[in-house]
Amino acid sequence: MPKKILLVEDEKHIARFVELELQHEGYDIRVAADGREGLALAASETFDVLLLDVMLPSINGIEICRRVRTQSDVPILLLTARDAVMDRVAGLDAGADDYLVKPFAIEELLARIRTILRRVTPTETTGEALTCRDIVMDVAAYEVEIKGSKLELTKTEFDLLKLLIERKNKVCTRELILTTVWGYDTDVETNVVDVYIRHLRTKLPGGMNTYIETVRGVGYVMRE
C-alpha cells in the first residue's frame, strides 16, 4: 500500500511540481493550498508524512505543526524560505522532525522523505528492555517508564533517548546523533540535536543535567 503524504503549499507551481514528482515515486499525495485546509485534512485523515510550507495563508506551517503535535506523532517536514537559525529552531520546537530550505532539489526532498519513513518503519527487536538508572525502555512496545511512571515521547525523542541509553557512559557526538537518529550528517544542522536534547530534558524529572550530561564542545552522555 503506497505511503500517504499531505503537502500544504500555497505556491501553485511548487505544489503541482512536488505533487507530480511524489506521484511518480509511487506516493499517494493530497494537496492543500492554505493552512486552514491543511489542518483540517491532517485532523480528518491519516497520513504517513506531512510536508508543511512555513509561510501559509490563514494558519502558518509552524502553528499547524504545533497543533498536530498535540494529537499525533506523524512525521513532519517543514519547507521554509527562511534559513535563519531561529526560524529553524522555532519549527523544531513546534515538533517538526526535519526542515528543508527553499529552493530545494526534488532529489533532496525525496531523500528526506525516505529517511523519515525508514525511521518510523517498525524493525524487528528482541523485546529486551533497555535501562539506565531508573529509566526502563521497552523497545518492542515503544514505551518508556521512569520511576514507575510512563513517559510520553515523540518518535524522534524516543529514538534519541534509545541511542543515549544504548551508549550509556559513552559520549555521543552531535554528528553521531544526527547520523543515527535522523539518518543524515551535516554540520549546518547540528542545532537540531540541541533542540531535541532540550525537549527530552524537559520531560525527564530533576534538573537540566540530571540524566543527560552536556560534554562541552563534543556532545551528550547518559551515565549509569
Side-chain angles (χ1 to χ4, degrees):
M1 185 175 180
K3 298 295 184 181
K4 192 173 180 180
I5 296 176
L6 172 62
L7 170 65
V8 188
E9 170 62 69
D10 64 317
E11 295 186 51
K12 291 183 179 179
H13 65 288
I14 294 178
R16 184 57 177 162
F17 173 69
V18 172
E19 179 184 19
L20 291 173
E21 290 291 333
L22 292 179
Q23 287 176 342
H24 180 72
E25 292 295 317
Y27 295 111
D28 178 8
I29 181 165
R30 298 289 302 278
V31 179
D34 65 71
R36 198 171 302 281
E37 179 188 2
L39 184 60
L41 280 171
S44 62
E45 300 184 29
T46 300
F47 293 95
D48 295 290
V49 179
L50 304 187
L51 305 178
L52 306 179
D53 183 29
V54 171
M55 303 299 291
L56 289 168
S58 67
I59 304 174
N60 66 47
I62 291 177
E63 181 59 26
I64 295 174
C65 181
R66 186 176 291 111
R67 296 189 192 184
V68 168
R69 258 309 156 255
T70 64
Q71 304 292 330
S72 171
D73 288 336
V74 60
I76 297 174
L77 173 62
L78 292 180
L79 307 175
T80 176
R82 301 190 297 185
D83 194 24
V85 170
M86 291 310 299
D87 291 329
R88 301 198 303 266
V89 169
L92 295 168
D93 275 339
D97 295 273
D98 201 356
Y99 60 86
L100 192 57
V101 177
K102 296 179 179 178
F104 53 81
I106 192 64
E107 291 82 7
E108 183 174 7
L109 175 61
L110 294 171
R112 296 290 182 96
I113 292 171
R114 289 193 297 269
T115 297
I116 285 175
L117 290 173
R118 281 198 301 269
R119 285 170 44 211
V120 299
T121 300
T123 54
E124 185 178 350
T125 64
T126 62
E128 296 180 357
L130 299 175
T131 62
C132 183
R133 292 158 64 181
D134 48 13
I135 299 175
V136 180
M137 172 175 275
D138 187 333
V139 178
Y142 238 82
E143 292 182 349
V144 179
E145 287 190 358
I146 182 165
K147 298 179 179 177
S149 298
K150 189 174 180 181
L151 200 63
E152 297 293 340
L153 300 177
T154 67
K155 174 69 169 63
T156 302
E157 291 165 352
F158 185 94
D159 290 344
L160 176 54
L161 182 61
K162 178 173 177 285
L163 173 64
L164 291 170
I165 292 178
E166 285 176 333
R167 292 179 58 84
K168 60 188 175 184
N169 302 318
K170 298 178 182 178
V171 177
C172 294
T173 65
R174 290 174 176 82
E175 291 75 15
L176 172 66
I177 294 171
L178 270 179
T179 302
T180 306
V181 177
W182 278 266
Y184 60 92
D185 185 7
T186 168
D187 293 338
V188 175
E189 297 175 345
T190 53
N191 64 291
V192 174
V193 174
D194 301 324
V195 171
Y196 272 88
I197 288 290
R198 188 167 73 248
H199 288 179
L200 267 182
R201 281 173 167 165
T202 62
K203 294 185 177 183
L204 294 169
M208 187 177 78
N209 292 320
T210 300
Y211 290 91
I212 303 173
E213 176 185 335
T214 299
V215 180
R216 191 175 299 276
V218 182
Y220 301 94
V221 61
M222 292 185 75
R223 302 192 191 278
E224 188 66 83

